[in-house]
């Protein structure tokens, strides 16, 4: 993301939680850019808002207390990056997790909002209940994307048990030059 995002760009944090990823995105698109952040937990958004404010970047960020599957309702701009950090909120209620159906719906929306050359990064955790099913549905959906339009890769650890892994989706900048 640091290689791709530039001041003035638009990014989405689909799972704000404690706001760490939102802050990274806000730094990368400042000045002049915007970050839209979604979470279903109001208390998490309040905490994230305080933290981002302490870093002087709250004016760059719009925090929205809704599920990421509704992202199309909240802005009309095309976006340059979207980040998903799935699972439950560290330090929060472990029973409140992302859900495969809404995650896939958010991705469908997000892919439509992405600028050519834009990226979606998804950190996937499989250790909690429902995590493996989320991985299955996510990989089934992303594995079916048109390779002429999207490049979908996976970065996994070979020596770290049930560590999270990363999925990166790039919307091709042009159709020429790709296999
Ligand atoms: C692993 S945490 C995110 C961590 C966060 N990126 C950070 O830096 O702290 C996952 C978050 O996703 C949120 N979440 C679950 N379902 C969601 C949905 N449908 N839309 C948006 N956020 C959701 C949870 O409330 C939780 O805060």
């Amino acid at each position: 993301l640091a290689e791709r995002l530039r001041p003035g760009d638009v990014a989405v944090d689909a799972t704000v939680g404690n706001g760490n990823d939102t802050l990274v995105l806000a730094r990368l698109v400042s000045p002049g850019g915007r970050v839209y952040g979604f979470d279903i937990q109001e208390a998490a958004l309040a905490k994230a808002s305080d933290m981002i404010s302490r870093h002087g970047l709250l004016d760059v960020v719009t925090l929205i207390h809704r599920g990421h599957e509704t992202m199309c309702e909240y802005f009309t701009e095309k976006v340059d990056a979207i980040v998903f950090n799935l699972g439950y909120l560290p330090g929060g209620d472990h029973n409140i997790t992302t859900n495969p159906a809404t995650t896939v719906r958010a991705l469908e929306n997000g892919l439509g909002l992405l600028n050519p050359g834009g990226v979606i990064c998804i950190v996937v955790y499989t250790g909690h209940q429902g995590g493996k099913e989320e991985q299955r549905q996510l990989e089934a959906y992303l594995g079916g994307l048109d390779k002429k339009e999207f490049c979908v890769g996976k970065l996994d650890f070979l020596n770290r048990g049930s560590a999270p892994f990363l999925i990166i989706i790039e919307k091709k900048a042009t159709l020429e030059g790709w296999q």
Side-chain angles (χ1 to χ4, degrees):
L1 290 172
E3 284 175 8
R4 290 300 179 96
L5 286 175
R6 294 283 169 267
D9 281 353
V10 178
V12 175
D13 186 351
T15 50
V16 170
N18 293 318
N20 300 302
D21 300 318
T22 318
L23 180 64
V24 170
L25 294 172
R27 284 186 169 133
L28 291 173
V29 303
S30 293
R34 177 130 306 271
V35 180
Y36 295 97
F38 293 83
D39 205 291
I40 54 172
Q41 297 194 61
E42 201 165 11
L45 288 176
K47 214 171 130 194
S49 173
D50 281 352
M51 188 273 284
I52 294 162
S53 170
R54 280 199 301 280
H55 285 87
L57 285 164
L58 200 55
D59 59 332
V60 182
V61 174
T62 305
L63 294 175
I64 299 157
H65 179 213
R66 287 291 302 280
H68 39 222
E69 62 280 8
T70 67
M71 69 173 80
C72 283
E73 298 172 25
Y74 288 93
F75 51 90
T76 49
E77 303 109 295
K78 290 280 182 185
V79 306
D80 303 289
I82 306 178
V83 172
F84 290 80
N85 195 328
L86 303 179
Y88 57 77
L89 179 63
D93 183 344
H94 290 197
N95 294 312
I96 305 175
T97 66
T98 50
N99 165 288
T102 46
T103 301
V104 169
R105 215 175 313 141
L107 277 166
E108 285 168 349
N109 290 337
L111 290 170
L113 291 168
L114 210 55
N115 270 322
V119 289
I120 298 182
C121 298
I122 314 167
V123 179
V124 187
Y125 299 79
T126 56
H128 61 284
Q129 202 183 1
K132 286 232 177 331
E133 177 58 17
E134 188 163 43
Q135 172 184 11
R136 193 190 65 73
Q137 293 194 31
L138 208 52
E139 291 186 350
Y141 171 66
L142 295 175
L145 291 183
D146 183 353
K147 65 179 181 184
K148 293 203 194 81
E149 201 180 351
F150 297 103
C151 182
V152 185
K154 177 174 170 180
L155 185 63
D156 203 353
F157 289 96
L158 292 176
N159 65 344
R160 277 192 57 194
S162 62
F165 63 87
L166 177 65
I167 293 175
I168 304 174
I169 307 163
E170 181 186 46
K171 189 168 193 167
K172 294 177 177 178
T174 88
L175 293 184
E176 284 144 40
W178 290 86
Q179 302 302 312

Coordinates of all heavy atoms in Angstrom, one line a residue, residues 13-23 37-42 44-45 51 64 66-70 83-90 93 96-99 102-103 106 123 125, ligand 1:
D13 N -11.1 1.6 4.8 CA -10.8 0.5 5.8 C -12.1 -0.1 6.1 O -13.0 0.5 6.7 CB -10.2 1.1 7.0 CG -9.8 0.0 8.0 OD1 -10.1 -1.1 7.7 OD2 -9.1 0.4 9.0
A14 N -12.3 -1.3 5.6 CA -13.6 -2.0 5.7 C -13.8 -2.6 7.1 O -15.0 -3.0 7.4 CB -13.6 -3.2 4.6
T15 N -12.8 -2.7 7.9 CA -12.9 -3.2 9.3 C -12.1 -2.4 10.2 O -10.9 -2.7 10.5 CB -12.4 -4.7 9.3 OG1 -11.1 -4.8 8.7 CG2 -13.4 -5.6 8.6
V16 N -12.6 -1.2 10.6 CA -11.8 -0.2 11.4 C -11.2 -0.8 12.7 O -10.1 -0.6 13.0 CB -12.6 1.0 11.6 CG1 -11.9 2.0 12.6 CG2 -12.9 1.7 10.3
G17 N -12.1 -1.4 13.5 CA -11.6 -2.0 14.8 C -11.0 -0.9 15.6 O -11.5 0.2 15.9
N18 N -9.7 -1.2 16.0 CA -9.0 -0.2 16.8 C -8.4 1.0 16.0 O -7.8 1.9 16.6 CB -7.8 -0.9 17.6 CG -8.4 -1.9 18.6 OD1 -9.3 -1.6 19.3 ND2 -7.8 -3.1 18.7
G19 N -8.5 0.9 14.7 CA -8.1 2.0 13.9 C -6.7 2.0 13.4 O -6.3 3.0 12.7
N20 N -6.0 1.0 13.6 CA -4.6 1.0 13.2 C -4.4 1.0 11.7 O -3.5 1.8 11.2 CB -3.9 -0.3 13.8 CG -3.9 -0.4 15.3 OD1 -3.5 0.5 16.0 ND2 -4.5 -1.4 15.8
D21 N -5.2 0.3 11.0 CA -5.1 0.3 9.5 C -5.6 1.6 9.0 O -5.1 2.2 8.0 CB -5.9 -0.9 8.9 CG -5.3 -2.2 9.4 OD1 -4.1 -2.4 9.5 OD2 -6.2 -3.1 9.7
T22 N -6.6 2.1 9.6 CA -7.2 3.4 9.2 C -6.1 4.5 9.3 O -6.0 5.3 8.4 CB -8.4 3.8 10.1 OG1 -9.2 2.7 10.4 CG2 -9.2 4.9 9.4
L23 N -5.4 4.5 10.4 CA -4.3 5.5 10.6 C -3.3 5.4 9.5 O -2.8 6.4 8.9 CB -3.7 5.3 12.0 CG -2.6 6.3 12.3 CD1 -3.1 7.7 12.4 CD2 -2.0 5.9 13.7
G37 N -14.0 4.6 6.6 CA -13.8 3.5 7.5 C -15.2 3.0 8.0 O -16.0 3.7 8.4
F38 N -15.3 1.6 8.0 CA -16.6 1.0 8.4 C -16.3 0.0 9.6 O -15.3 -0.7 9.6 CB -17.2 0.2 7.2 CG -17.6 1.0 6.1 CD1 -16.7 1.5 5.1 CD2 -19.0 1.4 6.0 CE1 -17.2 2.3 4.1 CE2 -19.4 2.2 5.0 CZ -18.5 2.6 4.0
D39 N -17.3 0.0 10.5 CA -17.3 -1.0 11.5 C -18.7 -1.1 12.1 O -19.4 -0.1 12.2 CB -16.3 -0.8 12.6 CG -15.8 -2.1 13.3 OD1 -16.7 -2.7 14.0 OD2 -14.7 -2.6 13.1
I40 N -19.0 -2.3 12.6 CA -20.4 -2.5 13.1 C -20.4 -2.2 14.7 O -21.4 -2.2 15.3 CB -20.9 -3.9 12.9 CG1 -19.9 -5.0 13.3 CG2 -21.2 -4.1 11.4 CD1 -20.5 -6.4 13.2
Q41 N -19.2 -2.0 15.2 CA -19.1 -1.8 16.7 C -18.8 -0.3 16.9 O -17.7 0.2 16.7 CB -17.9 -2.6 17.3 CG -18.2 -4.1 17.1 CD -17.3 -4.9 18.0 OE1 -17.3 -4.8 19.2 NE2 -16.4 -5.8 17.4
E42 N -19.8 0.3 17.5 CA -19.7 1.8 17.8 C -18.6 2.1 18.7 O -17.9 3.1 18.5 CB -21.1 2.3 18.3 CG -21.3 3.7 18.2 CD -22.7 4.2 18.4 OE1 -23.5 3.3 18.9 OE2 -23.0 5.3 18.0
A44 N -15.8 0.6 19.2 CA -14.5 0.5 18.5 C -14.3 1.8 17.6 O -13.2 2.3 17.7 CB -14.5 -0.7 17.6
L45 N -15.3 2.2 17.0 CA -15.2 3.4 16.2 C -14.8 4.7 17.0 O -14.0 5.5 16.6 CB -16.5 3.7 15.4 CG -16.7 2.7 14.2 CD1 -18.1 3.1 13.6 CD2 -15.6 2.8 13.1
M51 N -8.0 7.9 18.8 CA -6.6 7.6 18.5 C -6.2 8.4 17.2 O -5.1 9.0 17.2 CB -6.5 6.1 18.3 CG -5.1 5.6 18.1 SD -4.6 5.7 16.4 CE -5.4 4.2 15.7
I64 N -17.8 5.3 9.6 CA -19.2 5.0 9.4 C -19.6 3.8 10.2 O -19.0 2.7 10.0 CB -19.4 4.8 7.8 CG1 -19.0 6.1 7.1 CG2 -20.9 4.4 7.6 CD1 -18.7 5.9 5.6
R66 N -21.6 1.3 10.1 CA -22.4 0.4 9.3 C -21.5 -0.8 8.8 O -20.3 -0.6 8.8 CB -23.0 1.1 8.1 CG -24.1 2.0 8.3 CD -25.4 1.4 8.8 NE -26.0 0.4 7.8 CZ -26.7 0.7 6.7 NH1 -26.9 1.9 6.4 NH2 -27.2 -0.3 6.0
G67 N -22.1 -1.9 8.4 CA -21.3 -3.0 7.8 C -20.7 -2.6 6.5 O -21.3 -1.8 5.7
H68 N -19.5 -3.2 6.2 CA -18.8 -2.8 5.0 C -19.6 -3.2 3.7 O -19.3 -2.7 2.7 CB -17.4 -3.5 5.0 CG -17.3 -4.9 5.5 ND1 -16.3 -5.3 6.3 CD2 -18.2 -5.9 5.4 CE1 -16.5 -6.5 6.7 NE2 -17.6 -7.0 6.1
E69 N -20.6 -4.1 3.9 CA -21.4 -4.5 2.7 C -22.2 -3.4 2.2 O -22.8 -3.5 1.1 CB -22.2 -5.8 3.1 CG -23.2 -5.6 4.2 CD -22.7 -5.7 5.6 OE1 -21.4 -5.7 5.7 OE2 -23.5 -5.7 6.5
T70 N -22.3 -2.3 3.0 CA -23.2 -1.2 2.6 C -22.3 0.0 2.0 O -22.8 1.1 1.8 CB -23.9 -0.6 3.8 OG1 -23.0 0.0 4.7 CG2 -24.8 -1.6 4.5
V83 N -8.9 -2.1 2.5 CA -8.3 -3.0 3.4 C -9.3 -3.7 4.2 O -10.2 -3.1 4.7 CB -7.3 -2.3 4.4 CG1 -6.8 -3.2 5.4 CG2 -6.2 -1.7 3.6
F84 N -9.2 -5.1 4.3 CA -10.1 -5.9 5.2 C -9.2 -6.6 6.2 O -8.2 -7.2 5.7 CB -10.9 -7.0 4.4 CG -11.9 -6.5 3.5 CD1 -11.7 -6.0 2.3 CD2 -13.3 -6.6 3.9 CE1 -12.7 -5.6 1.4 CE2 -14.3 -6.2 3.1 CZ -14.0 -5.7 1.8
N85 N -9.5 -6.5 7.4 CA -8.7 -7.3 8.4 C -9.8 -8.1 9.2 O -10.6 -7.6 10.0 CB -8.1 -6.3 9.4 CG -7.0 -6.9 10.2 OD1 -7.1 -8.0 10.6 ND2 -6.0 -6.1 10.6
L86 N -10.0 -9.3 8.8 CA -11.1 -10.1 9.1 C -11.0 -10.7 10.5 O -10.0 -10.6 11.2 CB -11.3 -11.3 8.1 CG -11.5 -10.8 6.6 CD1 -11.7 -12.0 5.7 CD2 -12.7 -9.8 6.5
G87 N -12.1 -11.4 11.0 CA -12.1 -12.0 12.3 C -12.7 -11.1 13.4 O -13.6 -10.3 13.1
Y88 N -12.2 -11.3 14.6 CA -12.7 -10.5 15.7 C -11.8 -9.4 16.1 O -10.6 -9.4 15.8 CB -13.1 -11.4 16.9 CG -11.9 -12.2 17.4 CD1 -10.9 -11.6 18.2 CD2 -11.8 -13.5 17.1 CE1 -9.9 -12.4 18.7 CE2 -10.8 -14.3 17.6 CZ -9.8 -13.7 18.4 OH -8.7 -14.5 18.8
L89 N -12.3 -8.4 16.9 CA -11.5 -7.3 17.3 C -10.6 -7.7 18.5 O -11.0 -8.2 19.5 CB -12.5 -6.2 17.8 CG -11.8 -4.9 18.4 CD1 -11.1 -4.2 17.3 CD2 -12.9 -4.0 18.9
P90 N -9.3 -7.6 18.3 CA -8.4 -7.9 19.4 C -8.7 -7.0 20.6 O -8.9 -5.8 20.5 CB -7.0 -7.5 18.8 CG -7.1 -7.5 17.3 CD -8.6 -7.1 17.1
D93 N -15.0 -8.3 22.0 CA -15.8 -9.5 22.1 C -15.5 -10.5 20.9 O -15.7 -10.2 19.8 CB -17.3 -9.0 22.0 CG -18.3 -10.2 22.2 OD1 -17.8 -11.3 22.0 OD2 -19.4 -9.9 22.4
I96 N -18.1 -11.4 18.2 CA -18.4 -10.5 17.1 C -17.3 -10.6 16.0 O -16.2 -10.1 16.2 CB -18.6 -9.1 17.5 CG1 -19.6 -9.0 18.7 CG2 -19.0 -8.1 16.4 CD1 -19.7 -7.6 19.3
T97 N -17.6 -11.3 15.0 CA -16.6 -11.6 13.9 C -17.2 -11.1 12.6 O -18.4 -10.9 12.4 CB -16.2 -13.0 13.8 OG1 -17.4 -13.8 13.4 CG2 -15.8 -13.6 15.1
T98 N -16.3 -11.0 11.6 CA -16.8 -10.8 10.2 C -17.5 -12.1 9.8 O -17.3 -13.2 10.4 CB -15.6 -10.5 9.3 OG1 -14.6 -11.5 9.5 CG2 -15.1 -9.1 9.5
N99 N -18.3 -12.0 8.7 CA -19.2 -13.0 8.4 C -19.0 -13.3 6.9 O -19.0 -12.4 6.1 CB -20.6 -12.5 8.7 CG -21.7 -13.3 8.0 OD1 -21.9 -13.2 6.8 ND2 -22.4 -14.0 8.8
T102 N -21.4 -11.5 4.3 CA -21.3 -10.0 4.2 C -19.9 -9.6 3.7 O -19.7 -8.6 3.0 CB -21.6 -9.3 5.5 OG1 -21.0 -10.0 6.6 CG2 -23.1 -9.2 5.7
T103 N -18.9 -10.4 4.0 CA -17.5 -10.2 3.5 C -17.5 -10.3 2.0 O -17.0 -9.4 1.3 CB -16.5 -11.1 4.1 OG1 -16.5 -11.0 5.5 CG2 -15.1 -10.9 3.6
A106 N -19.4 -7.4 0.4 CA -18.5 -6.1 0.5 C -17.5 -6.2 -0.6 O -17.1 -5.2 -1.2 CB -17.9 -6.0 1.8
V123 N -6.6 -9.5 5.1 CA -5.9 -10.3 6.1 C -7.0 -11.3 6.6 O -8.0 -10.9 7.2 CB -5.3 -9.5 7.2 CG1 -4.6 -10.4 8.2 CG2 -4.3 -8.5 6.7
Y125 N -8.0 -14.6 9.0 CA -7.7 -15.4 10.2 C -8.6 -16.7 10.1 O -9.8 -16.6 9.8 CB -8.0 -14.7 11.4 CG -7.2 -13.4 11.6 CD1 -7.5 -12.2 10.9 CD2 -6.0 -13.4 12.4 CE1 -6.8 -11.1 11.1 CE2 -5.3 -12.2 12.6 CZ -5.7 -11.1 11.9 OH -5.0 -9.9 12.0
Ligands
LIG1 C1 -9.7 -7.9 13.2 S1 -10.7 -6.6 13.6 C2 -10.1 -5.2 12.8 C3 -8.8 -4.7 13.3 C4 -8.5 -3.3 12.9 N1 -8.2 -3.2 11.5 C5 -7.4 -2.6 13.7 O1 -6.5 -2.0 13.1 O2 -7.5 -2.7 14.9 C6 -12.2 -7.0 12.7 C7 -13.3 -5.9 12.9 O3 -14.3 -6.1 11.9 C8 -15.5 -5.6 12.4 N2 -16.6 -6.2 11.6 C9 -17.3 -7.3 11.7 N3 -18.2 -7.4 10.8 C10 -18.2 -6.3 10.1 C11 -18.9 -5.7 9.0 N4 -19.9 -6.4 8.4 N5 -18.6 -4.5 8.5 C12 -17.6 -3.8 9.1 N6 -16.9 -4.2 10.1 C13 -17.2 -5.5 10.6 C14 -15.5 -6.1 13.9 O4 -16.4 -5.3 14.6 C15 -14.0 -5.8 14.2 O5 -13.8 -4.6 14.8

